[in-house]
Amino acid sequence: MDFVHYDLGQLGPGQVVEVTLNIAANVQLLDTSNFNLYRSGGSFRYFGGHKTSSPCRIPVPAPGHWHLVIDLGGASGNLRSEVRVLSATSVG
């Protein structure tokens, strides 16, 4: 499984993950348990989804250690991405 992984560390409500993409991709915000399930090919839960416009923003739903995974769902392509963590007040 080919994917881009960002270990975002400890985040919490009031923060927003902003992702800039050059092509449409699956953008998934996962806690550590669900990230491990994703890597092992199991069923997992995430926040986000297939994003066709950029930048996209995903609010952090709960305190914890968070991971961002970006993949092309099996398609081929030259994916480039940038990730920033913003405070909800700076999003506007």
Side-chain angles (χ1 to χ4, degrees), residues 19-52:
V19 183
T20 303
L21 303 166
N22 66 318
I23 58 176
N26 299 317
V27 178
Q28 301 160 107
L29 182 64
L30 307 107
D31 61 21
T32 298
S33 297
N34 282 291
F35 175 63
N36 290 332
L37 289 167
Y38 173 89
R39 285 192 315 178
S40 68
S43 295
F44 60 95
R45 296 183 63 175
Y46 63 91
F47 298 90
H50 186 74
K51 303 299 182 182
T52 58

Side-chain angles (χ1 to χ4, degrees), residues 7-83:
D7 185 336
L8 301 175
Q10 294 291 320
L11 300 175
Q15 293 180 292
V16 175
V17 179
E18 181 182 78
V19 183
T20 303
L21 303 166
N22 66 318
I23 58 176
N26 299 317
V27 178
Q28 301 160 107
L29 182 64
L30 307 107
D31 61 21
T32 298
S33 297
N34 282 291
F35 175 63
N36 290 332
L37 289 167
Y38 173 89
R39 285 192 315 178
S40 68
S43 295
F44 60 95
R45 296 183 63 175
Y46 63 91
F47 298 90
H50 186 74
K51 303 299 182 182
T52 58
S53 62
S54 181
C56 60
R57 293 183 175 141
I58 305 170
V60 176
H65 192 115
W66 291 94
H67 301 264
L68 187 77
V69 171
I70 304 170
D71 68 47
L72 299 177
S76 61
N78 185 14
L79 173 67
R80 290 189 308 277
S81 60
E82 292 181 25
V83 175

